[in-house]
């Protein structure tokens, strides 16, 4: 059984100097955070140590996350530096029609503090290619790490920060030179669930990485489809988050061995 929780539709403050006015800007393969995005307020789980333990009769949640509203292309940026690698312009946004699957949406049970083990590999690979960050969407577990590879023939300066409400906390500031070794950086968050990556040399390069505090999460594929397995029986809060749509919350009541199908449309906040 799934129903909306009382906090459904609640959105965190936007970040950025002109956050109340700026629309989300999306870059292909990586959601750009050039001006602002709706930060998640997942709450529970911060400061709580997740305990791995057997799950007897775990359930499965599967389905699709859709766009309830049309998301248009928002802006064109003219590039004036390293054009031979970065190109002459960058179109920010994607023409996403209402009803389309929300690729990259995060589906997460923030309050589960014990259950199935974390994935063995907790490293997210991030490539810099054509002055874009190309990466997966999530990093999970207490040993989460980022592995950065510069495939361009120019230098990038990587800033990694934890998004906290309207502000952020710097985690790493490192240069990555062409032809150099990959960088592997630990990710330790204090309060948030989102890591923001930017380039200090090329201001139009940005992306985000979601950091889960337990393994009960999924990242929607290109059709908006997702699945989460081995969910303990009981009533759980479910968070749905996308950087342009913000967060919504549902309550999932899972019986032992139950399989629940959920199709949910997120609306622009």
């Amino acid at each position: 059984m799934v129903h909306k929780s009382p906090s459904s539709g609640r959105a965190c403050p936007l970040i950025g100097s002109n956050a109340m006015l700026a629309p989300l800007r999306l870059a292909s393969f990586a959601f750009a955070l050039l001006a602002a995005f709706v930060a998640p307020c997942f709450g529970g789980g911060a400061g709580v140590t997740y305990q791995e333990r057997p799950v007897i009769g775990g359930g499965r949640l599967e389905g699709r996350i859709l766009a309830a509203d049309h998301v248009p292309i928002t802006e064109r940026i003219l590039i004036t530096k390293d054009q031979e690698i970065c190109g002459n312009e960058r179109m920010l946004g994607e023409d996403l029609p209402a009803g389309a699957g929300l690729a990259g949406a995060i589906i997460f049970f923030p309050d589960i503090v014990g259950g199935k083990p974390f994935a063995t590999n907790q490293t997210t690979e991030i490539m810099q290619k054509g002055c874009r960050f190309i990466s997966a969407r999530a990093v999970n577990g207490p040993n989460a790490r980022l592995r950065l590879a510069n495939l361009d023939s120019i230098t990038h300066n990587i800033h990694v920060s934890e998004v906290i409400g309207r502000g952020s906390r710097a985690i790493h500031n490192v240069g990555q030179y062409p032809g150099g070794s990959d960088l592997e950086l630990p990710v330790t968050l204090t309060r948030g669930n989102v890591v923001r990556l930017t380039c200090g040399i090329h201001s139009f390069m940005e992306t985000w990485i979601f950091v889960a505090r337990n393994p009960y999460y999924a990242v929607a594929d290109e059709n908006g489809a997702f699945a989460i397995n081995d969910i303990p029986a009981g009533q759980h809060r479910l968070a749905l988050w996308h950087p342009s749509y913000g967060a919504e919350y549902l309550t999932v009541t899972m019986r032992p061995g139950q399989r629940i199908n959920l199709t949910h449309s997120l609306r622009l906040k």
Side-chain angles (χ1 to χ4, degrees):
M1 179 183 297
V2 180
H3 63 271
K4 280 195 173 185
S5 66
S7 58
S8 179
R10 179 170 61 96
C12 286
L14 297 177
I15 64 171
S17 59
N18 59 344
M20 299 307 293
L21 299 177
L24 173 75
R25 306 163 183 178
L26 300 178
S28 60
F29 298 105
F31 288 104
L33 307 179
L34 290 170
F37 69 89
V38 183
C41 288
F42 290 145
V48 177
T49 301
Y50 179 81
Q51 300 292 325
E52 295 184 359
R53 54 177 177 252
V55 178
I56 307 300
R60 174 182 171 93
L61 178 69
E62 62 187 16
R64 295 182 69 204
I65 306 301
L66 308 177
D69 305 291
H70 173 235
V71 177
I73 292 176
T74 58
E75 189 174 346
R76 182 182 71 165
I77 288 182
L78 296 179
I79 297 174
T80 59
K81 180 185 295 184
D82 296 322
Q83 293 171 314
E84 69 281 3
I85 303 298
C86 305
N88 297 318
E89 63 180 22
R90 186 68 50 89
M91 302 302 293
L92 301 180
E94 58 183 2
D95 194 11
L96 187 66
L102 269 183
I106 298 293
I107 304 92
F108 181 45
F109 287 98
D111 302 326
I112 296 180
V113 296
K116 67 180 180 180
F118 285 105
T120 302
N121 182 8
Q122 297 178 22
T123 299
T124 289
E125 310 277 349
I126 302 175
M127 295 184 295
Q128 300 144 71
K129 184 176 182 180
C131 297
R132 297 178 186 272
F133 289 116
I134 302 175
S135 69
R137 289 286 179 263
V139 182
N140 75 341
N143 301 312
R145 303 182 71 83
L146 303 177
R147 182 176 294 126
L148 303 168
N150 184 4
L151 304 184
D152 289 333
S153 58
I154 54 177
T155 298
H156 294 296
N157 178 218
I158 309 304
H159 294 237
V160 181
S161 59
E162 174 185 9
V163 177
I164 304 173
R166 290 181 178 272
S168 62
R169 179 184 68 88
I171 301 176
H172 299 289
N173 180 358
V174 294
Q176 192 162 27
Y177 304 97
S181 301
D182 292 355
L183 296 175
E184 190 159 325
L185 305 174
V187 179
T188 302
L189 302 188
T190 58
R191 293 161 53 194
N193 286 90
V194 173
V195 170
R196 183 186 186 200
L197 279 79
T198 63
C199 177
I201 299 173
H202 308 96
S203 61
F204 49 86
M205 288 179 61
E206 299 196 43
T207 193
W208 60 268
I209 299 292
F210 175 79
V211 179
R213 299 181 187 277
N214 66 49
Y216 289 98
Y217 76 91
V219 184
D221 67 15
E222 60 185 9
N223 297 312
F226 73 93
I228 303 175
N229 293 309
D230 299 320
I231 303 167
Q235 188 174 91
H236 307 290
R237 186 169 63 124
L238 178 69
L240 310 173
W241 180 69
H242 185 277
S244 60
Y245 286 79
E248 290 189 14
Y249 300 86
L250 306 175
T251 299
V252 175
T253 301
M254 182 69 68
R255 298 193 303 271
Q258 187 178 12
R259 184 169 182 164
I260 297 176
N261 191 284
L262 169 69
T263 298
H264 187 82
S265 296
L266 288 178
R267 292 197 172 279
L268 288 170
K269 301 296 185 290

